[in-house]
Amino acid sequence: MFKNLINGQWVDGASTIVNINPSDTRDAIGEYALADAAQAREAVAAAHAAFATWSLTTPQQRFDILDAVGTEILARRAELGDLLAREEGKTLPEAIGEVVRAGNIFKFFAGEALRGAGDVLPSVRPGVGVEVTREPVGVVGLITPWNFPIAIPAWKVAPALAYGNTVVFKPAELVPGSAWALADILQRAGVPAGVFNLVMGRGREVGQVLLDDSRVAAVSFTGSVATGRLVAQACVARGAKFQLEMGGKNPFVVLDDADLNVAVNCAIQSGFFSTGQRCTASSRVIVTEGLHDRFVAAMAERMKTLKVDDARKPGTDIGPVVDERQLEQDLAYIAIGQQEGATLVAGGQYIERNAAGAPGYYLTPALFTGTAASMRINTEEIFGPVVSVIRAKDYEEALHLANDTPFGLASGIATTSLKHATHFKRHAQAGMVMVNLPTAGVDYHVPFGGRKGSSYGPREQGAYAAEFYTTVKTGYTLA
Ligand code: NAD
């Protein structure tokens, strides 16, 4: 049984949950403790008590711990990647890539602990000096989704600890394995008792404590829009700092002058890989008239080569959907698309058993054409391997369609025109914009996040993470 980590101790939960492999639902990965609200409050109390000491540790102490965590994650990439692929269903190469990213993030923020700079300015008043410094915020509550079981926890935990905060971390119920492994690594790397606490549990119970407890100074949340709204309401009500990263309906524009191969590669990669379960996935591909038919034909041709199978089997391109609920949602939207009058040109079939006969949540990647921008498949986040093609007259209409969404996480374009690429980068209403690259797949040392309905608050990752995980102090001294 895998336990929660509260105040440096591994403790039983109030109940347990079994972690199931979506590639083979007969395979139980392990039994994990589920905390209740009382245990979540104990974790908050521990983090609160530990803050006074941890916030005053030297940058060297924090560097050493975070660097050791990064080293262990990188050294165990194959094993941790296997666990991640087994519990979440992304392919083994994708899962190992995510683990490597998590390791690199810890290394990056180990360095950031050493780089904690401030500003020294002359005052407008004679004889006075001004200095602007950053201090940790306090206890931070971290709430994460299931689709990046180790990278998202890493990009919240690492900066939180690097800047001197203490942490209560609540992972998604579907992927406790990677979260537990990360907690175990932190614990053995020498994080003092109470500084990092793991409380696996239900969102409405354990997550809610992090939103409501006045000792939690800040909440960093990644997940759905619906839950994000609850986080915002609760945090505003008690004046806590918060940051939200939520859904997307990311567009990928393909212009007549695009390199067809580049365009198809980008659309396949960001539409279908990781089973389309990435917040940065492109679910709307907007293609101008001159290339539309050739693009669709090339997509359909490439899709025939994609192997949907066990996430850990060599050669698999697309693993299973994460669970039954998500599969039902994907299939419901595929039916809705057809009812709305879109043409399903490829995929969209549920396969109950893989080639080896194992039961899992397999879905062939689905491509819709003849879609209107107003259809639900083009306006609502599906979060599965489902891509719709929208035909556009020209670049101007394509840009308008790309921006015509309440979301604004990532936006991409395939073009060989410098003029259009430059214009698109400036005018895409998104936090991240890609030219001749898939919308999914980003660097770990630069800001990540969106605008409009996708995000709220300061960016995550890179040096910009300091905006959320620190608070600024302005000091005045009469010399
Ligand atoms: P979700 O909102 O259902 O759950 C996210 C987390 O919130 C989980 O840990 C859950 O237990 C917790 N939670 C649920 N109810 C809560 C409550 N009342 N109080 C506190 N916590 C609560 O999302 P999900 O299904 O796990 O993840 C999929 C969603 O995440 C998609 O919408 C996707 O776009 C989004 N996502 C966004 C980003 C990004 O950076 N923008 C990255 C990955 C995923």
Side-chain angles (χ1 to χ4, degrees):
M1 223 266 281
F2 296 92
K3 301 183 180 188
N4 281 315
L5 180 64
I6 300 175
N7 204 16
Q9 302 295 318
W10 294 105
V11 294
D12 285 327
S15 57
T16 60
I17 195 171
V18 177
N19 191 0
I20 298 290
N21 176 355
S23 294
D24 181 351
T25 53
R26 300 166 305 188
D27 176 28
I29 298 161
E31 203 182 342
Y32 289 80
L34 285 186
D36 60 10
Q39 287 179 316
R41 280 191 283 272
E42 277 172 39
V44 172
H48 193 248
F51 179 70
T53 310
W54 179 251
S55 59
L56 297 177
T57 48
T58 63
Q60 186 67 49
Q61 287 170 298
R62 298 196 298 277
F63 171 91
D64 287 343
I65 289 176
L66 296 177
D67 188 60
V69 170
T71 299
E72 179 167 342
I73 291 173
L74 291 172
R76 290 172 58 195
R77 65 184 70 182
E79 171 212 342
L80 293 172
D82 186 73
L83 170 65
L84 200 162
R86 191 173 163 204
E87 72 174 345
E88 199 269 351
K90 64 183 65 173
T91 66
L92 201 50
E94 289 171 333
I96 292 171
E98 183 182 333
V99 170
V100 168
R101 179 186 181 91
N104 285 333
I105 287 169
F106 272 95
K107 294 266 176 192
F108 175 84
F109 282 107
E112 285 299 282
L114 298 174
R115 286 187 284 267
D119 297 320
V120 178
L121 294 83
S123 168
V124 295
R125 289 171 283 169
V128 174
V130 184
E131 61 199 24
V132 181
T133 52
R134 287 183 180 273
E135 295 179 4
V137 176
V139 177
V140 295
L142 307 179
I143 302 175
T144 57
W146 50 261
N147 65 333
F148 284 92
I150 197 163
I152 293 180
W155 80 53
K156 295 184 191 298
V157 172
L161 297 179
Y163 297 117
N165 303 283
T166 56
V167 168
V168 180
F169 166 42
K170 195 213 90 64
E173 294 92 315
L174 280 177
V175 289
S178 300
W180 189 91
L182 178 60
D184 174 54
I185 293 170
L186 284 157
Q187 163 84 338
R188 285 185 295 94
V191 175
V195 169
F196 170 87
N197 303 273
L198 171 73
V199 280
M200 300 176 282
R202 304 271 177 219
R204 247 173 280 129
E205 191 170 9
V206 169
Q208 197 68 42
V209 169
L210 302 185
L211 309 187
D212 294 338
D213 195 309
S214 61
R215 294 168 295 186
V216 178
V219 176
S220 180
F221 168 84
T222 302
S224 64
V225 172
T227 313
R229 288 211 180 100
L230 298 176
V231 175
Q233 280 163 11
C235 290
V236 165
R238 64 179 184 84
K241 192 172 185 179
F242 66 100
Q243 167 186 63
L244 311 174
E245 285 300 342
M246 302 173 289
K249 197 68 200 173
N250 308 297
F252 188 71
V253 169
V254 178
L255 297 185
D256 286 357
D257 62 29
D259 177 320
L260 185 60
N261 236 338
V262 168
V264 170
N265 282 342
C266 291
I268 294 273
Q269 157 41 273
S270 50
F272 300 132
F273 287 1
S274 295
T275 322
Q277 298 173 151
R278 291 185 285 195
C279 50
T280 47
S282 328
S283 46
R284 296 183 298 139
V285 180
I286 301 159
V287 191
T288 49
E289 245 150 29
L291 197 65
H292 178 276
D293 294 356
R294 279 171 59 210
F295 174 82
V296 169
M299 278 291 281
E301 211 42 49
R302 269 295 292 284
M303 287 169 68
K304 285 186 198 151
T305 68
L306 297 176
K307 289 190 190 67
V308 180
D309 206 335
D310 190 310
R312 294 189 293 161
K313 185 176 161 186
T316 295
D317 295 299
I318 300 174
V321 173
V322 73
D323 73 347
E324 194 172 352
R325 230 183 84 202
Q326 184 63 50
L327 175 70
E328 280 168 7
Q329 177 167 318
D330 297 349
L331 290 170
Y333 274 107
I334 290 166
I336 289 167
Q338 289 170 299
Q339 283 153 22
E340 285 179 312
T343 309
L344 182 64
V345 290
Q349 269 81 50
Y350 166 40
I351 304 169
E352 285 172 47
R353 286 176 187 273
N354 66 18
Y361 307 116
Y362 297 101
L363 179 64
T364 56
L367 184 69
F368 277 113
T369 56
T371 75
S374 57
M375 288 178 176
R376 285 182 64 193
I377 53 167
N378 279 326
T379 54
E380 296 171 19
E381 186 181 50
I382 301 172
F383 220 55
V386 184
V387 168
S388 335
V389 177
I390 309 175
R391 190 190 283 265
K393 198 164 73 254
D394 51 20
Y395 168 71
E396 282 69 30
E397 193 190 12
L399 175 65
H400 169 75
L401 289 167
N403 287 335
D404 189 18
T405 165
F407 296 109
L409 189 58
S411 193
I413 190 167
T415 180
T416 52
S417 152
L418 181 62
K419 183 177 141 208
H420 285 140
T422 308
H423 190 271
F424 189 81
K425 274 194 282 181
R426 171 63 187 85
H427 295 280
Q429 294 167 3
M432 295 173 288
V433 57
M434 280 73 171
V435 177
N436 294 323
L437 286 167
T439 53
V442 294
D443 286 5
Y444 67 85
H445 66 308
V446 288
F448 177 94
R451 50 174 83 167
K452 292 162 76 178
S454 289
S455 305
Y456 187 93
R459 289 285 186 273
E460 301 199 75
Q461 301 194 58
Y464 284 70
E467 286 303 316
F468 182 74
Y469 291 101
T470 64
T471 180
V472 166
K473 183 177 275 175
T474 313
Y476 296 91
T477 310
L478 179 63

